[in-house]
Amino acid sequence: MIKKNEKFMRMALSQAEKAGQSGEVPVGAILVSKNGEILAAACNQTIGRTDPSAHAEMLALRAAAKKINNYRLLNTTLYVTVEPCIMCMGALVHARVARVVFGAWDKKWGAAGSLYDLAGDERLNHRIEIITGVMEKDCRTLMQNFFRAKRN
């Protein structure tokens, strides 16, 4: 499982780098079926699309739903470089994604266990398995370098 998680996280990191090169916050996401098929790959595009909802996770969900022609993304796993925010976790719950694997925690916006825990909230009708810390250093460093360069 570790090798598979790293394989897909490397792909998510590649998407994140693409976002950063475009001046977007470097977050990348890969949505994978239970059989290991990549259903979607996306990166943040909020600036380029002038759309506050154009987070990597949201774009991956939209593309995958369109691909399989179903808004329910059952038995899928989302690999994302940074802990999803409230908006993204809400959409992941609605889509019935089974698992979220992320690299770096987001203590300011995170909704998968740091600031909020929508994934495990028993008041909601769906729970998402959360796996954290996959390639955490790489994911965190990419984000830190991006914001360090922005400040300079």
Side-chain angles (χ1 to χ4, degrees), residues 7-28:
K7 170 189 165 187
F8 290 122
M9 189 59 75
R10 284 186 204 293
M11 292 178 185
L13 273 164
S14 176
Q15 288 293 314
E17 288 168 359
K18 188 168 122 181
Q21 291 163 359
S22 298
E24 303 275 359
V25 174
V27 177

Side-chain angles (χ1 to χ4, degrees), residues 52-102:
S53 71
H55 290 196
E57 301 96 323
M58 299 294 286
L59 296 173
L61 288 175
R62 289 177 187 143
K66 190 170 191 154
K67 180 175 184 171
I68 68 167
N69 198 31
N70 192 339
Y71 70 103
R72 295 283 191 234
L73 300 168
L74 304 173
N75 301 309
T76 59
T77 300
L78 181 79
Y79 294 86
V80 61
T81 54
V82 177
E83 179 185 6
C85 71
I86 299 164
M87 173 183 67
C88 294
M89 281 304 299
L92 290 160
V93 169
H94 280 291
R96 307 296 194 271
V97 168
R99 177 177 315 98
V100 171
V101 178
F102 70 85

Side-chain angles (χ1 to χ4, degrees), residues 20-21 23-24 26 141-152:
Q21 291 163 359
E24 303 275 359
T141 299
L142 180 63
M143 194 68 93
Q144 288 171 337
N145 289 345
F146 174 81
F147 283 109
R148 192 172 293 124
K150 278 273 202 211
R151 284 190 296 271
N152 292 335

